[in-house]
Amino acid sequence: MKINIVTSELKKANRNLNISLLTFGLFMLLFFISFWFPNSDLMKSVYLISLFTSCGLILISILFLIFRQTKKRSIELDANQLAELIINTQMSAEKISKKSEIEYLGNEIKTNMVTEIFEVSNSTAFELLHSGIELKITTRSKKNNGMNMSPKELINDLMSTLWASS
């Protein structure tokens, strides 16, 4: 069974990509705000600065995305090598029906052959939870740094927070 693991290099790559994407969003916001004041010289310079910075950040984000892809790792384990799955969630393991109910980071796999503990993403933890493999499943609630999430998870988290606050 192929299992995707989360390494510290992948967390750093996610953090760098998320920072560049959020900075891009900030400069695009400045770009659109500058349209409301077309006659102001200050807003014309804000328009030009935000336009060039946004274009540069697009290129940087593409480079970070390529770099992030090179940092993805996976391991090959048999089903009988897996001993325990620790899931980072607020609810019990039996009630989990969607991948989004599991936190992106903080999920771990312990094996009985190798004494290592591997950190896995929420999608891998969800697949293992519903795979039918005989595992000892433990749940815990651990707060994570949101900047270490994948960009997709971060955007989903931000959008659900904005949706809930409106």
Side-chain angles (χ1 to χ4, degrees):
M1 169 181 283
K2 186 176 178 182
I3 297 174
N4 297 324
I5 60 173
V6 178
T7 61
S8 61
E9 292 91 15
L10 182 61
K11 289 180 188 178
K12 288 178 189 175
N14 282 341
R15 185 179 318 122
N16 292 337
L17 180 58
N18 287 335
I19 288 171
S20 70
L21 289 174
L22 291 174
T23 308
F24 168 73
L26 175 70
F27 279 102
M28 286 306 295
L29 182 65
L30 285 174
F31 176 75
F32 289 119
I33 288 174
S34 67
F35 279 137
W36 291 339
F37 307 101
N39 296 331
S40 171
D41 289 334
L42 174 67
M43 283 300 145
K44 286 180 184 176
S45 38
V46 167
Y47 171 79
L48 290 174
I49 290 170
S50 61
L51 180 67
F52 289 125
T53 307
S54 298
C55 292
L57 284 169
I58 288 173
L59 294 175
I60 290 171
S61 296
I62 291 171
L63 291 174
F64 279 142
L65 186 64
I66 293 169
F67 179 70
R68 179 180 173 265
Q69 290 300 108
T70 63
K71 296 300 178 185
K72 289 187 174 183
R73 300 281 181 253
S74 62
I75 56 173
E76 192 71 34
L77 291 175
D78 293 331
N80 57 359
Q81 290 177 318
L82 299 174
E84 183 177 1
L85 174 64
I86 300 171
I87 299 175
N88 188 11
T89 184
Q90 299 285 333
M91 56 181 49
S92 65
E94 298 83 29
K95 294 181 181 178
I96 296 174
S97 61
K98 296 184 287 189
K99 178 182 79 166
S100 61
E101 294 171 343
I102 301 173
E103 294 289 330
Y104 179 73
L105 296 175
N107 306 302
E108 298 174 348
I109 294 177
K110 292 182 182 179
T111 61
N112 52 12
M113 300 291 189
V114 183
T115 58
E116 289 185 272
I117 298 173
F118 300 106
E119 188 171 2
V120 296
S121 66
N122 61 346
S123 59
T124 304
F126 184 75
E127 289 171 8
L128 286 171
L129 180 65
H130 295 291
S131 67
I133 298 173
E134 197 64 35
L135 288 171
K136 177 183 175 191
I137 298 172
T138 309
T139 59
R140 69 173 174 198
S141 179
K142 177 181 168 186
K143 187 67 178 162
N144 291 313
N145 182 0
M147 293 303 285
N148 292 337
M149 295 180 182
S150 72
K152 180 181 176 184
E153 297 287 332
L154 180 65
I155 298 294
N156 287 341
D157 195 35
L158 289 174
M159 293 306 287
S160 65
T161 304
L162 288 173
W163 183 258
S165 66
S166 63

